[in-house]
Amino acid sequence: RSIWVTGVQTCALPIYGWRPLFGYGANYNGLPGGTFNNIGNVDLTWELNKPFNVGLELGFFQNRLNIAVDYYKRTTSELLLNRPLSRVVGFASILQNVGAMQNAGVEITIDGTPVATRDFSWNVNFNFARNKNKITQLPGGEFADGANYRKEGLDYQSWYARLWAGVDPTNGAPLWYTDETKTATTSNYGTALRAVFGSASPKFFGQLNNTFTYKGFAVDFQLYYNFGNLVRDGWSQYAYDGVSVTANKFQRNMERWQKPGDITDVPAYVYNLQNNSSSFSSRFLYKGDFIRLRNVTVSYNLPRTVLAKLGMHVVTFYVRGFNLFTKTFDDKLTIDPENGITSVSNLTIPISKTVTAGLTLEF
């Protein structure tokens, strides 16, 4: 068990972000001019974390089976947030220490050796993690922050989007819902309902490792899993419909509406469209659930009798593969589902599949 308070300088606190700055180049009416280019905040300070941890470790069958359970709760106060401002002050927001947040969860690890003989062994390790995040204090109680919504009691990474309703089969126009009952729709993006829609935070994640050995041979593989969050393709607006005709397009554009009566969720392709069909909405939030074969290694160690004749300590041949297979659970997903804590892809390069082979020698 442990409990203490620490100060944390997060990436949300930019260098000299506290300092009000004045700059030139803001010309007006043909005359040179200057203005404030950073609102600053001289009262900025570190975020404060109060973590609490308690754990339990159990061993069975002469430690052939080991179980570890950890519970944690971390409360963050003086949270750094960009608080919205009235545009009359010349800035849209100001960075302040204005909130508090709580992260609590449990991690379970099970490690066992089901089989252990002279020539063959099997070791398995399974890890499960569950984290629940919520905002506990916020000035005004709530506010929109771009594609997210900050509200007391909600996950910090709650998505805030217009609710996509599909495509009008009569004319191919985009549709959004106008209320939370989802009974009425509109083709006007500006009048569409904007609501909290899922979160970028996964509900649970973890990994499964298996290691098999037989004499000098060994096979090791690791599966990583992640479930319960929604991911966003930040550049999908350029790959759908007709907003950017020179950009590469997704294959799903082939499923677009083309004639009255077509049933699809891809609107009509209109050159230089003005109907906002590719603007951010729940249309571009996808299930982030996936299972990935992250690592596979096959190796062989020369026997000691052979090593002695060669005058070597270790000779190992191995072949290793990374990210060879990924199972996703959303047929409309356009990006790699593994995109860090924000779950946003902005032309992010997908994780590559690689295979390497090697030889380890120890004299």
Side-chain angles (χ1 to χ4, degrees):
R1 172 181 172 177
S2 60
I3 184 168
W4 63 89
V5 178
T6 59
V8 179
Q9 178 177 331
T10 70
C11 59
L13 186 59
I15 299 176
Y16 303 119
W18 60 273
R19 186 188 293 273
L21 298 176
F22 192 87
Y24 294 93
N27 301 337
Y28 179 77
N29 198 26
L31 299 175
T35 186
F36 286 98
N37 52 28
N38 185 48
I39 190 171
N41 182 357
V42 297
D43 295 321
L44 283 181
T45 185
W46 288 354
E47 294 182 345
L48 298 179
N49 284 334
K50 179 186 284 187
F52 169 81
N53 300 81
V54 61
L56 177 66
E57 295 184 2
L58 301 171
F60 304 93
F61 313 115
Q62 297 182 334
N63 290 326
R64 288 274 296 272
L65 174 63
N66 295 280
I67 300 174
V69 180
D70 290 283
Y71 171 80
Y72 64 90
K73 182 177 180 181
R74 186 179 71 179
T75 302
T76 304
S77 58
E78 303 297 331
L79 192 68
L80 288 163
L81 287 174
N82 285 302
R83 186 177 182 181
L85 294 175
S86 171
R87 288 283 186 167
V88 297
V89 302
F91 293 89
S93 62
I94 181 172
L95 186 62
Q96 292 181 324
N97 298 94
V98 293
M101 183 172 62
Q102 175 182 288
N103 279 282
V106 62
E107 294 184 4
I108 302 173
T109 300
I110 302 174
D111 185 272
T113 305
V115 181
T117 66
R118 178 180 177 181
D119 294 328
F120 178 77
S121 69
W122 170 29
N123 177 263
V124 59
N125 180 282
F126 176 75
N127 173 266
F128 171 89
R130 170 79 166 98
N131 179 74
K132 187 172 180 60
N133 166 282
K134 68 176 180 179
I135 298 173
T136 57
Q137 181 181 346
L138 200 64
E142 59 187 297
F143 63 84
D145 186 7
N148 300 104
Y149 199 75
R150 318 299 189 191
K151 182 180 179 180
E152 293 180 3
L154 288 183
D155 187 295
Y156 179 77
Q157 298 198 110
S158 297
W159 293 112
Y160 191 52
R162 287 172 172 81
L163 301 183
W164 177 250
V167 175
D168 189 334
T170 62
N171 57 17
L175 294 175
W176 298 272
Y177 289 110
T178 58
D179 56 34
E180 292 185 352
T181 64
K182 297 183 178 180
T183 55
T185 60
T186 179
S187 290
N188 186 333
Y189 183 78
T191 61
L193 172 69
R194 200 177 180 197
V196 174
F197 188 83
S199 171
S201 302
K203 292 183 178 178
F204 61 91
F205 55 91
Q207 62 186 26
L208 172 67
N209 292 279
N210 279 274
T211 302
F212 301 91
T213 63
Y214 177 71
K215 295 185 176 180
F217 292 93
V219 177
D220 180 89
F221 69 88
Q222 179 192 86
L223 291 170
Y224 180 83
Y225 64 90
N226 178 99
F227 286 86
N229 63 318
L230 297 178
V231 297
R232 178 190 176 190
D233 183 357
W235 285 77
S236 57
Q237 61 177 315
Y238 300 106
Y240 274 112
D241 311 338
V243 67
S244 179
V245 295
T246 58
N248 290 332
K249 302 298 179 183
F250 289 135
Q251 184 178 359
R252 291 202 68 237
N253 281 285
M254 301 298 292
E255 303 173 19
R256 68 191 183 278
W257 183 95
Q258 299 183 61
K259 64 182 184 302
D262 283 349
I263 304 299
T264 179
D265 62 350
V266 182
Y269 193 96
V270 181
Y271 178 80
N272 196 27
L273 86 170
Q274 302 295 322
N275 60 17
N276 295 111
S277 65
S278 63
S279 296
F280 176 62
S281 71
S282 61
R283 176 189 179 191
F284 301 119
L285 292 174
Y286 310 96
K287 289 182 181 180
D289 305 347
F290 71 92
I291 301 174
R292 168 164 281 156
L293 181 57
R294 178 157 286 173
N295 179 26
V296 179
T297 302
V298 180
S299 62
Y300 176 70
N301 292 292
L302 287 182
R304 292 181 180 179
T305 54
V306 177
L307 292 174
K309 294 179 181 179
L310 296 175
M312 308 284 289
H313 291 293
V314 176
V315 176
T316 303
F317 305 90
Y318 68 87
V319 177
R320 182 173 298 149
F322 297 94
N323 308 310
L324 300 182
F325 170 79
T326 302
K327 168 62 178 176
T328 59
F329 298 86
D330 191 333
D331 294 336
K332 300 176 183 178
L333 185 68
T334 57
I335 56 176
D336 190 307
E338 192 170 359
N339 278 287
I341 191 170
T342 63
S343 294
V344 177
S345 174
N346 285 310
L347 291 183
T348 306
I349 298 175
I351 294 178
S352 60
K353 300 178 181 180
T354 59
V355 177
T356 61
L359 172 65
T360 301
L361 303 174
E362 291 186 13
F363 296 91

